[in-house]
Amino acid sequence: MQNLEIIPAKKIEYRGVTLPEMDIDAVLVRRPQLALVDELAHTNAPGSRHPKRYQDVMELLESGIDVYSTLNIQHVESLRIRWNRLPGYRCMKPFRIR
């Protein structure tokens, strides 16, 4: 990753804690051909532009920026039943793929 530009996270204060979130405005200003975005199913901190990371990604796509993203398969709703069969495991925030 040494040759990739990394846009610093935006810091959002919430209940006395500083939370790092994707700075969507900085990405839009930079206008890369391709943005690498981690954790598609992420719930953004209150005060972020969008409640969910996938909504940030949709905005980038609508702006003509291609996106590669990661997704933990435990959050894919269609696989949730299989994951929940594992002893001691419960997926709390499933993600629906359309």
Side-chain angles (χ1 to χ4, degrees):
M1 290 193 29
Q2 58 189 330
N3 293 329
L4 297 177
E5 178 182 355
I6 297 174
I7 295 176
K10 183 177 188 175
K11 306 292 186 210
I12 296 181
E13 294 289 327
Y14 180 68
R15 295 187 178 177
V17 177
T18 302
L19 303 170
E21 292 292 351
M22 179 171 68
D23 189 342
I24 191 167
D25 290 319
V27 177
L28 290 168
V29 167
R30 173 63 180 81
R31 287 206 55 75
Q33 284 185 305
L34 174 67
L36 306 177
V37 178
D38 192 28
E39 200 178 348
L40 187 63
H42 175 70
T43 299
N44 291 330
S48 297
R49 185 205 236 73
H50 301 290
K52 299 287 188 174
R53 174 79 41 86
Y54 79 87
Q55 294 168 310
D56 296 335
V57 167
M58 293 301 296
E59 185 172 346
L60 295 176
L61 292 169
E62 290 166 1
S63 296
I65 299 170
D66 292 331
V67 175
Y68 286 177
S69 185
T70 62
L71 176 65
N72 189 329
I73 63 167
Q74 72 183 5
H75 297 302
V76 177
E77 186 172 14
S78 61
L79 299 176
R80 185 172 59 170
I81 293 170
R82 291 181 187 171
W83 279 101
N84 285 340
R85 288 182 187 151
L86 296 174
Y89 180 82
R90 290 290 171 263
C91 178
M92 301 308 290
K93 57 176 190 176
F95 184 80
R96 178 173 287 135
I97 296 178
R98 298 179 215 187

